[in-house]
Amino acid sequence: MPSSPPPTPPVRRRRGRPASSTGPGSDDARSHLLDVALKLFAEQGIAATPLSLIARRARVTPALLHYYFGSKDKLVDALVDERLQPLSAALGQRLAEAGPDLRGALEAFVGALLELLSANPWFPQLWLREVLSEGGQLRRRLIERIAPPVAHRVRELVQQAQAQGRLNPDVEPRLLLVSLIGLTVFPLAAQPIWRAIFPSDDITTDSLRRHVLALLLRGLELTDAH
């Protein structure tokens, strides 16, 4: 009688990161979850978005979401570290590359900021909901971890230009970044309103860049009257 084949050894579960059953593979699942969370947070706010909805929208199990982040607070921290801080660092790099000339720095900053906003359309609405609104969950994180390097660099550039007599002394160095944000982030956040009022198919990101720089540079440069 022929001998029977040896029994098949049991399959051992591989240790390490679990794979997503649907959607992106295990290497991309975490990044995919961050992208989905960002979109939902921008649409309806962080407090109003349960983790279960993020998992459902991402087509993963709640267990996988918990595996990667553990809690909503840790998920928000991950968004700050891996999505928002890199944007701030990119803006800081463009300011550094522009050198000490304020005009060149403003042109580089506005161009870079609008490029980043166009590539990340969730940002303006998220900014309004979670930074400007009282109780927004990104406000403290922005103040402590994201904004200071860029804010201090812009202030220094303004102070240097004023000390050299090349900039209107009435410009408040601590408020210029606020003006830059207002001239760039707010128009994009308000697009559904002004595009509904005016025919505006011809207004592009480059149109907005030229508009912002025209307002800034003509308002900042000294005139003969000074």
Side-chain angles (χ1 to χ4, degrees), residues 13-95:
R13 182 177 178 181
R14 183 179 299 176
R15 293 185 178 181
R17 178 181 295 178
S20 172
S21 58
T22 60
S26 60
D27 290 341
D28 298 327
R30 190 174 187 279
S31 180
H32 177 61
L33 287 168
L34 288 175
D35 291 339
V36 171
L38 273 174
K39 185 175 181 181
L40 285 170
F41 289 165
E43 289 174 357
Q44 56 190 44
I46 294 175
T49 305
L51 292 180
S52 58
L53 177 59
I54 297 171
R56 209 161 50 244
R57 186 72 63 89
R59 297 186 178 181
V60 302
T61 64
L64 185 68
L65 185 63
H66 186 271
Y67 173 83
Y68 284 118
F69 304 108
S71 66
K72 183 188 285 189
D73 200 52
K74 291 181 180 178
L75 170 60
V76 174
D77 282 334
L79 289 175
V80 170
D81 293 338
E82 300 175 37
R83 292 293 189 271
L84 299 182
Q85 281 192 328
L87 297 183
S88 179
L91 292 174
Q93 182 63 30
R94 290 293 289 272
L95 280 175

Side-chain angles (χ1 to χ4, degrees), residues 157-175:
L157 288 169
V158 173
Q159 290 173 330
Q160 291 170 5
Q162 287 175 328
Q164 296 165 1
R166 295 187 292 105
L167 180 64
N168 189 331
D170 291 333
V171 173
E172 170 52 59
R174 294 164 293 182
L175 293 180

Side-chain angles (χ1 to χ4, degrees), residues 92-110:
Q93 182 63 30
R94 290 293 289 272
L95 280 175
E97 292 171 353
D101 177 62
L102 180 61
R103 184 188 184 99
L106 288 176
E107 290 175 346
F109 182 87
V110 170

Side-chain angles (χ1 to χ4, degrees), residues 102-152:
L102 180 61
R103 184 188 184 99
L106 288 176
E107 290 175 346
F109 182 87
V110 170
L113 180 55
L114 288 174
E115 288 173 9
L116 291 172
L117 293 174
S118 297
N120 300 277
W122 46 264
F123 186 91
Q125 198 63 40
L126 187 70
W127 176 275
L128 293 180
R129 285 185 180 278
E130 300 297 339
V131 176
L132 296 187
S133 298
E134 188 67 32
Q137 295 190 29
L138 293 179
R139 180 181 291 189
R140 176 181 56 80
R141 291 172 169 93
L142 177 89
I143 293 172
E144 295 177 355
R145 298 162 57 184
I146 301 174
V150 172
H152 289 304

Side-chain angles (χ1 to χ4, degrees), residues 202-214:
D202 59 324
I203 298 181
T204 64
T205 299
D206 192 55
S207 303
L208 181 56
R209 179 188 63 80
R210 292 195 304 270
H211 169 75
V212 171
L213 289 174

